[in-house]
Structure formats: structure tokens, C-alpha cells
Amino acid sequence: LIAEHGILGADDFSEEAMRCLPYVPMSRDLATGKQTKKWTIPHDEKAKRRDFTKTRVVSIDPPSARDLDDALHCEVLPDGTLLVGVHIADVTYFLRPETAMDSEAKRRGTTTYLVNKRLDMLPKPLTEDICSLRGGTERLTFSVFFEFSATTHLPIENSEPRFTKAVIKSNAALTYQEAQEMMDDVSDTSELTKDLRNINACAVALRKRRIASGALSLASPEV
């Protein structure tokens, strides 16, 4: 398949590209006493960004996912409006223009998924660790915020999305099934579950409006 379709990225990343990765020092886990590598956000970069580390943020992904590249949060404003935040892992902080890693990513173009493996566009230490929005870990994001009506669960007219570079600390890295079970459990009245229900209600309303406006729903079989 790789040869037939001329897919790039089957080879390892060059040493020059790997040298573009940030230095990750060893640190001791206070709970286990084990030495592990852990990247932390530089203080000067953290000072430039909006701090959402105290905000209740959650990621929802397939159970096998290791590169958690997006997370969500929802808060109810004093007037009842829902403020939904979408937080995307900020890989651009690490991927500098005209570097060996930039050239390598350009050449590969995308991550290619095969049945038994994937061919990455960027090195795994970046996608699966340094940029991955793991629960309980501070990470850099590019974030956007939307205002939704609490009654229609649709975006409020004339409200513009707001964008910012941020720092988050995800409260939980959930699988799809875990998130669904939390929402379906009528006895679960935790704040995080309320957030999930509000976010889901907005997603359902948006999808219904798109279909009503003529959007196509396409599906393809998966092996």
C-alpha cells in the first residue's frame, strides 16, 4: 500500500528533525519515586498566555488514542449563556518555520493510518507527550470560545468567537464510552457531567441545523 500510493513517512525522522524537539529533563514522580522525563512550560511563555489551568477542561477520544490534540470546556455565565471553549494543542510553539522538522512535516503532508500502524507527520515525542492534552498536566493550546443560548443551544446571533493562546490543565482524559456513560447516568449530577450534557446539547442542535440547511451526511465503511 505504501509503495503503490507513494506514501511518504515510512522512514524514520532524520536526526536533524529530532534535534528540533525541546529538551525534556528527568524528574522524580513524588508518588512512585520513579524517574521519568517530563516537559514543563517555560515561565516566560506561560506569562504571555491566558491561564485556564483552573478551568474544568476535558478531552474525549477513542480508547486507543495517545495524541490527545483537542479538549473542551463549558461554563454557564451569570446571564445563563453557555460559553463553550475548544482548546487545540499548540504544536506551532514547537514547529518553527524553515527548520528540519518543518521541512519533514511538509514532505510527509499528513499522518497516514494503516491497519496495523500509522506513519506520523510529526515525531511521536511531540504528538504523544509534549503536546498531548493529558489529564492533570499543563499544556499549551490555541483556544477559541463561542457563546451559545441555554434554551436553543445554538450560537447567539452577532456574537463573535474569541481566539487566544492559552495554558490548560485538563481535568480528565475520557473515552467516548466513559463520556456517554456519564451523560446517561441520571444519578450523576457532577459539574463535569453537567458540562458534558451542555456541550452535547449544543452539538446536537448544531448538527440538526446543518442537516435542515441541506448538509450531506456521508459515511464510508471501516475495516
Side-chain angles (χ1 to χ4, degrees):
L1 284 171
I2 293 169
E4 182 180 349
H5 296 281
I7 297 170
L8 301 176
D11 52 329
D12 293 333
F13 285 88
S14 66
E15 289 185 16
E16 291 81 3
M18 296 301 288
R19 280 200 290 268
C20 295
L21 295 171
Y23 171 69
V24 182
M26 296 292 291
S27 63
R28 185 179 295 278
D29 189 306
L30 296 178
T32 64
K34 292 182 179 179
Q35 289 274 10
T36 56
K37 284 191 172 186
K38 184 178 181 182
W39 182 82
T40 54
I41 301 170
H43 291 295
D44 58 340
E45 182 61 29
K46 196 172 180 180
K48 299 175 189 174
R49 295 171 176 251
R50 289 193 62 185
D51 187 346
F52 289 95
T53 55
K54 300 292 191 296
T55 302
R56 203 165 45 246
V57 176
V58 61
S59 63
I60 310 171
D61 293 275
S64 59
R66 298 186 65 185
D67 49 341
L68 312 181
D69 54 8
D70 56 79
L72 300 162
H73 94 270
C74 181
E75 57 184 295
V76 182
L77 301 180
D79 63 356
T81 300
L82 300 177
L83 181 67
V84 176
V86 181
H87 308 274
I88 306 298
D90 188 4
V91 71
T92 59
Y93 174 77
F94 308 94
L95 187 61
R96 302 298 184 181
E98 308 307 323
T99 60
M101 188 162 67
D102 182 41
S103 299
E104 185 76 5
K106 231 180 263 184
R107 183 175 73 84
R108 293 171 181 243
T110 186
T111 295
T112 302
Y113 291 84
L114 300 174
V115 174
N116 61 331
K117 64 179 176 180
R118 71 182 200 200
L119 311 177
D120 293 299
M121 184 179 71
L122 293 166
K124 277 186 171 61
L126 200 62
T127 58
E128 294 187 358
D129 181 16
I130 300 170
C131 283
S132 190
L133 307 182
R134 297 173 174 177
T137 306
E138 292 188 355
R139 287 291 183 253
L140 301 176
T141 64
F142 193 87
S143 303
V144 58
F145 303 88
F146 306 90
E147 291 186 357
F148 283 79
S149 164
T151 52
T152 66
H153 293 103
L154 289 170
I156 293 176
E157 288 187 23
N158 302 320
S159 65
E160 292 292 328
R162 301 191 300 276
F163 300 86
T164 187
K165 289 189 174 184
V167 180
I168 68 165
K169 186 176 182 180
S170 177
N171 285 60
L174 302 177
T175 64
Y176 292 141
Q177 183 174 344
E178 288 170 338
Q180 190 67 56
E181 288 173 352
M182 289 170 67
M183 290 190 295
D184 291 344
D185 184 354
V186 293
S187 65
D188 190 342
T189 57
S190 66
E191 294 303 314
L192 182 57
T193 301
K194 291 178 185 177
D195 295 343
L196 293 175
R197 289 176 181 141
N198 281 331
I199 292 169
N200 188 57
C202 293
V204 169
L206 283 172
R207 190 177 299 114
K208 184 183 291 187
R209 187 175 72 173
R210 287 181 63 246
I211 297 299
S213 300
L216 292 175
S217 182
L218 303 176
S220 58
E222 289 191 15
V223 177

